[in-house]
Amino acid sequence: MNLKDHIMIGVVGRMVRKYKLTFIGILAGGLIGFLYYYFIGCSNGSCIISSRPLNSTLYGALVGGLLLHGTRKNNQKPINDNANEP
């Protein structure tokens, strides 16, 4: 492995650690979306999301990722606008 490979592994590793909950949400949401299509989905094609497995899987992944992305901890300190006032 050269230096470029080590840098890429480090960058990817940090990204995975930082967005771990988001990735879990995407995978779980995609699975739930597919299961929704398989067990409940619309058979006549009139339902936009649940008429095809790709649509319901992608929609579930999007919703799962967004839901768990919002639960990440924010390590930034809040800005105190009144810090300079006596």
Side-chain angles (χ1 to χ4, degrees), residues 46-65:
S46 63
C47 309
I48 295 173
I49 295 173
S50 61
S51 63
R52 294 178 39 206
L54 180 63
N55 292 349
S56 61
T57 302
L58 290 178
Y59 184 76
L62 175 70
V63 171

Side-chain angles (χ1 to χ4, degrees), residues 19-37 56-69:
Y19 296 107
K20 180 175 25 177
L21 281 177
T22 305
F23 291 139
I24 291 170
I26 289 170
L27 292 174
L31 178 65
I32 291 169
F34 178 78
L35 292 174
Y36 181 84
Y37 160 78
S56 61
T57 302
L58 290 178
Y59 184 76
L62 175 70
V63 171
L66 288 174
L67 283 176
L68 287 187
H69 180 73

